[in-house]
Amino acid sequence: MASKSRILPPGPRPLPVLGNILGIKLAEPWVTYMEWAQVHGNIIYSRLLNQEIIILNSEKLARDLLEQRSYNYSDRPQYPTIDLFGMTFHSALLAYGSTWRLHRRLLHQAFRTEAALKYRPIQLRRVHQFLLNLLEAPKEYVDHMNTLSTSIIMEVIYGYNPAPRHDPLVTVVERASATLTREHTPERTAVIGALPFLLHIPPWFPGAAFKRSALECQKLTVEMIEAPFEYTKQNISAGIAMPCMLSDLLGRMKEEDPSYELAIKNSSATAFSGRLSGSSSVLMVFMLVMLQNPDVQRKAQLEIDAVVGQGRLPDFSDRTSLPYVEAVFRETLRWHPVVPLGIPHAATNDDIFEGHFIPKGYSLKANRAMAHNDDKYPEPYKFKPERFFALDGKLNDDTVGLVFGFGRRICVGRHIADATVWAAMVSILTVFNITKAKDDLGNDIEVTPKWTNGVTM
Ligand code: HEM
């Protein structure tokens, strides 16, 4: 039971109704949260309209609460926008309970460390196709990265072998996740949460553009969930399904069980909504840092030449022999975490932590700016793969796991994501140079990085 004598963590003084929303850089809230940490410390209370938030700015705090006390911090806040945008199917947004547990078990079976090993041939084949796509249409590199992560998941889950480019099913998931990433932003969630009457205004009403986007999202997500599922079910009936997560799970169903089948369908679609899950975003960050750091790029390429030699592409058996590439991989994850505020956890019950009161239902955001903590990562905004080497010249044991979250809600796809991203990076470095494009006079065209907002950047 909340009591006034219990003291919330410190934080900026909230205004009536608005809370702290005016004081936040909405495009980069994690930067504001780090600034607040200088004044208030690493655990901060803040309010965005009527959303109560506890921000965790240190890895230790995140581990103490989200891991050590995971029994109390494994729920998710339930925003009205989840329903509005057709996202109730999504495993990552489910409340902590029996449906989430079933989804998690199904996804864990498919993506746990040992299971993920058997997808490596698919990953390499898809990465090689990705290299060809880059060669044929380099300007469409963003599409190729999205296609790469989506097509691996589609083959693993649905046994569906998408066309190398512009596949109709891949296009559906890409449109759905692009619309979601653009429209389902944290600010919109806060505003609609505080002003729930907005949920009831008709889509044609002036200023209700978000309602039209939400309807479009709902339509796209239904298609994204149903179309590949039906494809695999029909193939199973016809006896021509490729081995995949879905054929395996449906095959194990002894008798019709609609709620189990729904969980299989929805958790599959969760994994399939690849763009939300970040692999392609990490690859975009990688392209940027290679462009900005040609010396690092060259050094990684020299290592690959020395270890892999000419005439073949690297594969997973080369990974431990390529420590500098490994350090580039880790530094890419750290330098710009693509899920900057993770997915918020929520407190199941009231709790007291180091004298701070954390009430039931409050959201906890693990600010990935902790990857820029200058005690652990000196000169945190510089791209320095060297930071991952110990004094003896060997790689240290910091694999930057924090970018995949904490506790019972830690990213279930982290092993497959790690392998896809590594394979794509090392393969790009083997066959391409990443350089600035030239204008008509042969001058470099300068690149100004710009970031999208949303759960995944
Ligand atoms: C480099 C790519 C990826 C990054 C950086 C990433 C990051 C994250 C983060 C930060 C979370 C929140 C963890 C927490 O609440 O503490 C998460 C959750 C999740 N991720 Fe990933 N992810 C990636 C790729 C993937 C892939 C490929 C899949 C699909 C197979 C996936 C499936 C999920 C699911 C289902 C959850 C929700 C888990 C739950 O709520 O129980 N992720 N991810």
Side-chain angles (χ1 to χ4, degrees):
M1 212 29 193
S3 130
K4 284 192 179 147
S5 63
R6 300 186 184 184
I7 299 168
L8 292 167
R13 189 186 291 273
L15 292 173
V17 184
L18 293 174
N20 304 106
I21 200 155
L22 299 180
I24 292 185
K25 288 184 187 135
L26 286 176
E28 302 177 305
W30 51 93
V31 175
T32 308
Y33 297 155
M34 282 306 263
E35 287 163 7
W36 287 349
Q38 307 296 322
V39 183
H40 304 287
N42 278 332
I43 179 162
I44 296 169
Y45 162 73
S46 130
R47 181 163 61 77
L48 296 189
L49 301 168
N50 66 350
Q51 256 183 50
E52 313 276 5
I53 300 169
I54 307 288
I55 300 143
L56 307 173
N57 271 323
S58 94
E59 188 177 346
K60 177 168 182 323
L61 274 174
R63 295 205 185 281
D64 285 349
L65 285 166
L66 309 182
E67 286 184 5
Q68 304 302 325
R69 300 191 184 188
S70 60
Y71 54 85
N72 195 46
Y73 294 106
S74 296
D75 203 359
R76 297 282 194 213
Q78 294 302 305
Y79 303 122
T81 44
I82 295 178
D83 198 13
L84 181 67
F85 284 84
M87 295 292 287
T88 46
F89 77 93
H90 206 286
S91 320
L93 305 177
L94 288 174
Y96 188 59
S98 54
T99 308
W100 168 76
R101 232 171 259 117
L102 177 55
H103 279 225
R104 182 87 198 184
R105 183 154 53 79
L106 297 171
L107 288 166
H108 177 74
Q109 275 169 22
F111 296 116
R112 64 185 200 278
T113 324
E114 315 82 70
L117 290 176
K118 65 174 190 271
Y119 308 133
R120 289 186 163 185
I122 298 178
Q123 285 170 299
L124 280 184
R125 182 159 38 77
R126 286 284 157 197
V127 165
H128 296 165
Q129 180 60 52
F130 163 69
L131 296 179
L132 286 173
N133 288 351
L134 276 178
L135 187 66
E136 275 171 28
K139 285 189 181 161
E140 293 172 30
Y141 72 99
V142 173
D143 287 348
H144 304 327
M145 287 168 179
N146 289 328
T147 301
L148 170 68
S149 47
T150 313
S151 60
I152 290 172
I153 295 289
M154 287 187 83
E155 204 169 328
V156 166
I157 296 193
Y158 299 104
Y160 177 79
N161 201 345
R165 287 165 62 194
H166 310 303
D167 181 271
L169 277 184
V170 175
T171 308
V172 170
V173 71
E174 278 167 9
R175 277 181 50 214
S177 33
T179 315
L180 271 170
T181 313
R182 195 179 63 239
E183 304 290 344
H184 192 232
T185 59
E187 307 84 71
R188 182 157 287 163
T189 305
V191 171
I192 295 176
L195 307 171
F197 70 86
L198 288 175
L199 290 170
H200 306 293
I201 59 173
W204 47 263
F205 202 74
F210 76 94
K211 266 306 239 331
R212 293 189 286 280
S213 312
L215 288 177
E216 190 195 336
C217 257
Q218 282 176 19
K219 250 179 48 207
L220 285 168
T221 44
V222 169
E223 212 178 321
M224 183 177 92
I225 297 167
E226 297 296 338
F229 187 75
E230 282 311 313
Y231 163 89
T232 311
K233 262 188 100 172
Q234 278 169 18
N235 280 356
I236 294 173
S237 306
I240 53 168
M242 305 259 291
C244 60
M245 166 178 152
L246 211 51
S247 60
D248 185 34
L249 292 174
L250 290 173
R252 279 196 234 163
M253 253 171 53
K254 301 260 178 319
E255 53 200 49
E256 291 270 309
D257 180 346
S259 60
Y260 189 65
E261 185 169 314
L262 185 67
I264 295 177
K265 179 155 72 174
N266 286 349
S267 52
S268 302
T270 296
F272 177 39
S273 59
R275 178 92 79 83
L276 283 179
S277 42
S279 308
S280 48
S281 309
V282 179
L283 287 175
M284 286 180 223
V285 175
F286 168 71
M287 295 298 264
L288 175 65
V289 287
M290 288 302 98
L291 200 61
Q292 291 176 332
N293 299 277
D295 296 347
V296 172
Q297 184 180 171
R298 192 74 209 116
K299 198 166 167 187
Q301 288 171 324
L302 288 173
E303 182 180 69
I304 296 167
D305 286 350
V307 172
V308 180
Q310 305 289 317
R312 75 172 178 96
L313 286 167
D315 60 37
F316 291 102
S317 67
D318 297 308
R319 189 160 179 176
T320 49
S321 314
L322 295 167
Y324 190 74
V325 172
E326 192 65 32
V328 170
F329 168 77
R330 293 181 191 180
E331 181 68 343
T332 305
L333 293 178
R334 184 207 69 81
W335 183 76
H336 197 98
V338 296
V339 192
L341 291 172
I343 304 176
H345 292 222
T348 306
N349 288 307
D350 289 353
D351 191 19
I352 304 274
F353 175 76
E354 294 182 351
H356 303 299
F357 177 47
I358 303 178
K360 169 184 172 154
Y362 276 32
S363 302
L364 285 90
K365 294 192 179 184
N367 185 4
R368 293 304 181 282
M370 59 184 70
H372 297 149
N373 171 339
D374 53 11
D375 290 337
K376 188 166 179 195
Y377 302 110
E379 299 189 292
Y381 300 102
K382 286 206 171 139
F383 189 84
K384 293 204 311 193
E386 288 70 22
R387 66 175 88 248
F388 291 99
F389 288 97
L391 288 176
D392 62 3
K394 296 208 172 100
L395 278 172
N396 64 23
D397 55 9
D398 176 8
T399 54
V400 207
L402 63 89
V403 299
F404 289 109
F406 301 95
R408 296 182 195 178
R409 304 296 296 238
I410 192 172
C411 176
V412 81
R414 60 197 185 284
H415 305 298
I416 192 168
D418 169 281
T420 299
V421 173
W422 179 84
M425 279 183 184
V426 75
S427 306
I428 293 174
L429 287 168
T430 307
V431 296
F432 294 117
N433 291 320
I434 302 159
T435 58
K436 290 177 188 159
K438 306 258 184 224
D439 66 15
D440 293 343
L441 299 172
N443 301 316
D444 282 348
I445 301 174
E446 286 312 317
V447 172
T448 312
K450 286 190 185 150
W451 306 97
T452 56
N453 195 1
V455 175
T456 310
M457 297 175 78

